[in-house]
Amino acid sequence: MDFDVVIVGAGPSGLSAACRLMQQAHEAARELSVCVVEKGSEVGAHILSGAVLETRALRELFPDWETRGAPLTTPVVSDDIYLLKDPDNAQKLPNALVPKSMHNTGGAHDNYVVSAGNLCRWLAEQAEELGVEIFPGFAAQESLHDEDGTVRGILVGDMGVAADGSEKPGHMPGMELRAKYTLFAEGARGHIGKRLIERFNLDEGRDPQHYALGFKELWDVPADQHQPGRVLHGSGWPLPNDTHGGWFLYHADNQQVVVGLIVDLSYDNPYLSPFDEFQRMKHHPVLKPHLEGGSRVSYGARAIAKGGANSLPKMTFPGGLLIGCDAGTLNFAKIKGIHMAMKSGLVAAEAVFEAFVGGDEGGTELTAFTSKWQDSWAWAELTESRSFGPAIHKYGTVKGGAYNFMDQLLGGKLPTVHDTTPDHARMRPASEVTPIDYPKPDGKLSFDKPSSVFLSNTNHEEDQPCHLRLTDPGMPVRVNLPEYAEPAQRYCPAGVYEIVEEDGEPKFQINFQNCVHCKTCDIKDPSQNITWVAPEGGGGPNYPNM
């Protein structure tokens, strides 16, 4: 099938690009065919974010978003930040000491507590009304290229292939979706984006991309505990001093609270379990009163690209663009990515349409995008906070936070801090660290992995090829187990990886049916032996209003 533009991923960046493309086409009375491919069973099924949304990009895309019924009903009304000192004590930071990027009230732009999944569902409705074709349940497997390397679209994977590679009854062969321009908006560590970055050397001269693993739970809470629009952020306990990250707790609409923990994947202790850190965090007296007496209704986890301006790759290549978190546009200093992803989609759409109007038949490198992006407020945001993550990695949470506070006061005038060590290379041998003894979950505030994965509504067809590929199948037992106590058992938030005993020998077992598509294994494996590829379309989590 042929289109003018194919977009991979129905997230904030991809859908914003699709809407803006068709808006321009209607304004110019010009025919344009735009297709969005989404691997989730429906739009929003794989969308996971906190989320506090800054409305700046949304207002640019749809100035009348309120009358259109956008799912923004809970404005932020209060905003507090805590440093958790230990399991029982915390210090609330005075407002004057909070970096300006962390303020969610009283600023120039409105902030709302939202469901990112519901926002994307609404954006998809707007896109379809404008004439965009959206294909959920179809997984892009690889990019298509001319002989000279120019990207010409994507290949959607086969449906109905058995684990042994044979065709099952009802098999549907994959399809080529060819395009004049292809926009890759797969989210953090997109599997095609990863290959494109390598193929076109898009990260040349950049710092390595840095990641975190974000957890989120959705809770129904008693009415007398619910405070719509209240926002809390914090850092410190339970993470060790040399492990960076932070937590969030938002009072959303419909008598619900969302709570989550973000753990930097630069941690060095192979015994650390991000999942268990999250579970015990909820017992702290600062968070417990917001959840106690409530019931957990959903769980999810997703990797976050947080390297910022220093790690942002070149986003253009012949025939296409990387946008949103596929490139790494999130502003970690704000702990916000949706407005940045949307803006990258808007800029991409304008660059593509401008090329078409100028007579471009596709396949060129859209260098105009780079200048438009660097002239945007989004790029200004990223450059102003380019030292935020590296400073915390280098100096620690408190000293790094102080550096960033001063840098923001001075308008980004302090020397830029860099972190040139990839996250996976931080892992220390197990012999050099102390194992961590985590408390057992109580089933009220804290829970185990199987019950959590159940609440993510994750499902994969069992009789299909495993989508978690090992370059060397023997490496987990031969190298990772003796050297690092095989950390995949602990960094995976869904219990995908286990060391089991078979005939008296250790065996590395992959329970791929549990995979929530977080991509952590692709990032954190110290041997870089695991490659995540898309499974059959429609598989994975089915998040509700996450």
Side-chain angles (χ1 to χ4, degrees):
M1 298 176 67
D2 293 301
F3 298 90
D4 292 314
V5 182
V6 166
I7 299 172
V8 183
S13 61
L15 290 170
S16 295
C19 289
R20 187 70 190 116
L21 278 164
M22 295 307 292
Q23 285 176 339
Q24 294 172 104
H26 291 320
E27 290 164 5
R30 184 186 181 101
E31 285 194 12
L32 192 71
S33 57
V34 177
C35 165
V36 178
V37 176
E38 165 56 39
K39 65 182 174 65
S41 60
E42 64 170 9
V43 173
H46 290 179
I47 297 296
L48 184 73
S49 183
V52 171
L53 171 68
E54 183 179 299
T55 57
R56 190 171 187 177
L58 177 61
R59 288 193 183 281
E60 291 182 11
L61 179 58
F62 293 112
D64 58 343
W65 61 264
E66 289 156 300
T67 57
R68 285 175 173 265
L72 280 68
T73 59
T74 310
V76 176
V77 296
S78 68
D79 193 12
D80 298 315
I81 295 184
Y82 291 85
L83 178 63
L84 306 188
K85 295 181 174 182
D86 55 43
D88 301 305
N89 299 290
Q91 180 178 350
K92 182 178 176 181
L93 294 187
N95 197 52
L97 295 182
V98 175
K100 65 178 183 179
S101 62
M102 294 292 292
H103 289 267
N104 289 293
T105 56
H109 306 287
D110 297 333
N111 289 284
Y112 286 79
V113 178
V114 302
S115 158
N118 287 345
L119 176 65
C120 288
R121 292 179 177 97
W122 178 82
L123 284 171
E125 292 172 2
Q126 310 310 303
E128 289 182 322
E129 287 179 10
L130 287 164
V132 176
E133 295 185 62
I134 301 179
F135 299 153
F138 290 89
Q141 287 291 354
E142 56 187 78
S143 50
L144 301 175
H145 299 262
D146 284 343
E147 289 184 4
D148 64 359
T150 299
V151 173
R152 289 296 185 183
I154 58 166
L155 176 65
V156 174
D158 289 10
M159 303 283 281
V161 176
D164 62 5
S166 62
E167 296 178 2
K168 295 186 292 187
H171 169 261
M172 289 173 53
M175 181 179 292
E176 290 187 359
L177 302 182
R178 305 190 72 85
K180 296 174 181 176
Y181 285 106
T182 309
L183 309 185
F184 294 88
E186 307 164 281
R189 195 73 166 195
H191 75 288
I192 302 178
K194 176 184 169 184
R195 296 177 202 158
L196 293 169
I197 290 171
E198 182 178 351
R199 178 170 187 149
F200 292 107
N201 298 315
L202 302 179
D203 57 354
E204 184 177 5
R206 272 70 166 182
D207 291 354
Q209 184 60 266
H210 295 285
Y211 298 89
L213 175 57
F215 294 87
K216 178 181 177 180
E217 290 178 350
L218 183 65
W219 286 65
D220 288 335
V221 298
D224 58 356
Q225 289 176 209
H226 190 226
Q227 305 166 62
R230 186 172 183 192
V231 165
L232 288 81
H233 289 107
S235 61
W237 187 88
L239 298 178
N241 290 334
D242 59 354
T243 300
H244 312 300
W247 55 267
F248 60 91
L249 187 146
Y250 308 147
H251 284 254
D253 57 6
N254 299 323
Q255 215 171 298
Q256 291 187 319
V257 167
V258 298
V259 61
L261 176 67
I262 297 169
V263 181
D264 277 15
L265 290 178
S266 60
Y267 70 83
D268 62 5
N269 186 341
Y271 289 109
L272 187 135
S273 167
F275 174 86
D276 290 300
E277 298 288 350
F278 172 44
Q279 294 305 315
R280 67 174 173 172
M281 176 202 81
K282 290 178 287 178
H283 288 272
H284 195 281
V286 169
L287 292 96
K288 183 177 179 179
H290 298 272
L291 305 173
E292 206 165 28
S295 59
R296 189 177 67 146
V297 295
S298 191
Y299 162 88
R302 184 69 169 92
I304 300 165
K306 57 176 286 289
N310 294 347
S311 304
L312 194 69
K314 182 183 176 187
M315 298 164 72
T316 65
F317 45 86
L321 295 168
L322 283 181
I323 58 175
C325 290
D326 215 350
T329 57
L330 177 138
N331 183 353
F332 200 62
K334 285 188 172 182
I335 323 179
K336 290 187 181 72
I338 298 175
H339 71 297
M340 301 290 283
M342 291 180 70
K343 182 61 176 178
S344 73
L346 300 184
V347 175
E350 288 160 11
V352 169
F353 193 76
E354 184 179 280
F356 286 151
V357 170
D360 190 328
E361 289 299 316
T364 60
E365 184 159 353
L366 293 168
T367 54
F369 169 85
T370 303
S371 58
K372 289 176 179 292
W373 173 248
Q374 292 180 348
D375 287 339
S376 73
W377 53 258
W379 176 245
E381 270 196 28
L382 283 181
T383 53
E384 184 179 283
S385 60
R386 67 190 318 147
S387 293
F388 189 88
I392 290 174
H393 289 181
K394 185 173 183 177
Y395 304 123
T397 300
V398 176
K399 291 182 179 178
Y403 185 97
N404 287 315
F405 179 76
M406 291 302 299
D407 196 32
Q408 289 184 20
L409 280 180
L410 298 172
K413 298 293 176 58
L414 291 181
T416 300
V417 182
H418 292 271
D419 182 354
T420 58
T421 303
D423 294 333
H424 72 270
R426 295 275 185 185
M427 196 74 83
R428 295 167 63 190
S431 59
E432 296 180 4
V433 298
T434 303
I436 302 173
D437 184 22
Y438 289 102
K440 291 184 178 180
D442 68 353
K444 297 177 181 177
L445 289 176
S446 50
F447 306 89
D448 60 15
K449 283 185 182 178
S451 65
S452 299
V453 175
F454 177 79
L455 289 181
S456 70
N457 301 309
T458 294
N459 183 59
H460 293 89
E461 168 60 48
E462 292 191 24
D463 186 16
Q464 66 172 302
C466 177
H467 65 279
L468 303 161
R469 309 284 174 81
L470 301 181
T471 305
D472 178 353
M475 187 169 285
V477 170
R478 189 180 69 251
V479 177
N480 282 6
L481 184 59
E483 185 76 7
Y484 303 105
E486 187 43 88
Q489 303 172 88
R490 290 170 290 278
Y491 62 59
C492 174
V496 169
Y497 301 102
E498 293 181 282
I499 295 291
V500 298
E501 188 174 303
E502 188 174 274
D503 299 326
E505 297 293 329
K507 176 188 175 184
F508 189 62
Q509 180 168 293
I510 302 177
N511 307 307
F512 75 84
Q513 300 93 333
N514 288 1
C515 179
V516 294
H517 297 199
C518 73
K519 316 290 182 70
T520 303
C521 55
D522 194 296
I523 298 162
K524 190 59 178 172
D525 176 39
S527 300
Q528 289 294 277
N529 187 51
I530 303 174
T531 299
W532 191 100
V533 300
E536 187 173 284
N542 284 278
Y543 296 131
N545 54 324
M546 292 282 270

